[in-house]
């Protein structure tokens, strides 16, 4: 039997993409390791600590809002057929294809001074670009749950809300949790829309650009390393927690 080299070819091609992701991450950490003085100076910079806190706070608040609004929408899209459903599903995905600077302009034109340079503006920008992840993940999770299980719960006397809480939500949780993680990750990585809507209060993403423009690569690199370490650490921790719950 002839050996099939297709899998090896695909693995080799895919390894280039993995390397393209891993190498820049490794390089920036290694280069910063040879400049500890700048890292310690950055860690003691109150502007940096405040900006990092703003990023973590607003990304977390954005995720909570996305869950409260997105999970119910995902359930409706999974369980009900209605007119214009395909249009609604398409609209959910629209933020993914809109350039983020355009998102900022749209939000600013729509809400004007009510979101300008405020935490509300940061969260509004993050929510617009990240909400599709939790909606789509929730929809896919609920689609994987057999509706007959909900019907059985209803025949046993459970209300629609109780059937949702006790049957559908727990079974769809792994998919929803993955969507929540991706929503948080997308929110904390947002720059373009925030730059237009809310330059102040500064998030770490904006501060990195400011330090790069004003002081150069050496000054902005430590903030980037700090944000990468925090973001990757939280991302891996959340993935691990979800994996343990699913095991």
């Amino acid at each position: 039997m002839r050996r099939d080299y297709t899998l090896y070819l695909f693995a080799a091609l895919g390894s280039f993409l993995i390397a393209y992701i891993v190498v820049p991450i490794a390089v920036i950490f290694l280069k910063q390791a040879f400049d500890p003085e700048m890292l310690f100076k950055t860690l003691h910079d109150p502007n940096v600590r405040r900006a990092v806190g703003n990023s973590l706070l607003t990304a977390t608040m954005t995720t909570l809002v996305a869950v409260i609004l997105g999970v119910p929408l995902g359930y409706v899209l999974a369980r009900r057929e209605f007119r214009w459903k395909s249009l609604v599903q398409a609209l959910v995905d629209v933020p993914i294809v809109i350039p983020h600077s355009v998102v900022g302009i749209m939000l600013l034109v729509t809400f004007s001074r009510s979101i300008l340079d405020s935490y509300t503006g940061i969260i509004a920008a993050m929510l617009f670009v990240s909400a599709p992840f939790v909606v789509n993940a929730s929809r896919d999770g609920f689609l994987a749950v057999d509706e007959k299980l909900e019907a059985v719960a209803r025949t046993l006397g459970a209300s629609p809300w109780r059937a949702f809480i006790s049957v559908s939500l727990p079974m769809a949780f792994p998919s929803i949790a993955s969507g929540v993680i991706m929503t948080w990750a997308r929110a904390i990585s947002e720059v373009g829309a925030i730059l237009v809507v809310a330059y102040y209060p500064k998030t770490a993403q904006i501060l990195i650009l400011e330090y790069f423009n004003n002081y150069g690569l050496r000054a902005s690199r430590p903030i980037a390393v700090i944000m990468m370490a925090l973001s990757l650490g939280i991302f891996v921790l959340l993935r691990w927690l979800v994996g343990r719950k699913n095991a």
Side-chain angles (χ1 to χ4, degrees), residues 87-211:
L87 175 61
V88 173
Q89 292 184 142
L91 288 174
V92 167
D93 293 329
V94 163
I96 296 174
V97 300
I98 298 179
H100 296 169
S101 56
V102 176
V103 171
I105 295 296
M106 290 192 308
L107 293 175
L108 202 55
V109 169
T110 303
F111 300 106
S112 189
R113 294 187 178 276
S114 60
I115 64 170
L116 182 64
D117 288 340
S118 64
Y119 286 107
T120 303
I122 297 171
I123 293 172
M126 288 181 171
L127 181 64
F128 193 96
V129 301
S130 63
F133 292 97
V134 74
V135 175
N136 289 332
S138 300
R139 181 197 63 208
D140 294 342
F142 289 124
L143 282 173
V145 179
D146 193 338
E147 287 188 67
K148 293 179 181 178
L149 297 176
E150 294 182 19
V152 169
R154 293 292 304 279
T155 59
L156 295 175
S159 65
W161 173 253
R162 184 61 183 272
F164 171 79
I165 292 296
S166 60
V167 178
S168 301
L169 189 60
M171 297 186 71
F173 177 80
S175 181
I176 295 172
S178 295
V180 169
I181 294 170
M182 293 306 300
T183 299
W184 185 88
R186 183 63 197 86
I188 204 167
S189 66
E190 176 54 30
V191 179
I194 297 174
L195 190 63
V196 175
V197 172
Y199 196 85
Y200 300 98
K202 283 191 178 71
T203 59
Q205 304 93 303
I206 301 300
L207 194 67
I208 290 170
L209 290 177
E210 184 178 283
Y211 274 41

Side-chain angles (χ1 to χ4, degrees), residues 2 16 41 52 64 106 128 177 204-205 210 228 232 238:
R2 295 181 60 186
F16 285 104
K41 181 180 178 181
V52 170
L64 290 175
M106 290 192 308
F128 193 96
Q205 304 93 303
E210 184 178 283
M228 283 185 59
L232 289 174
L238 292 174

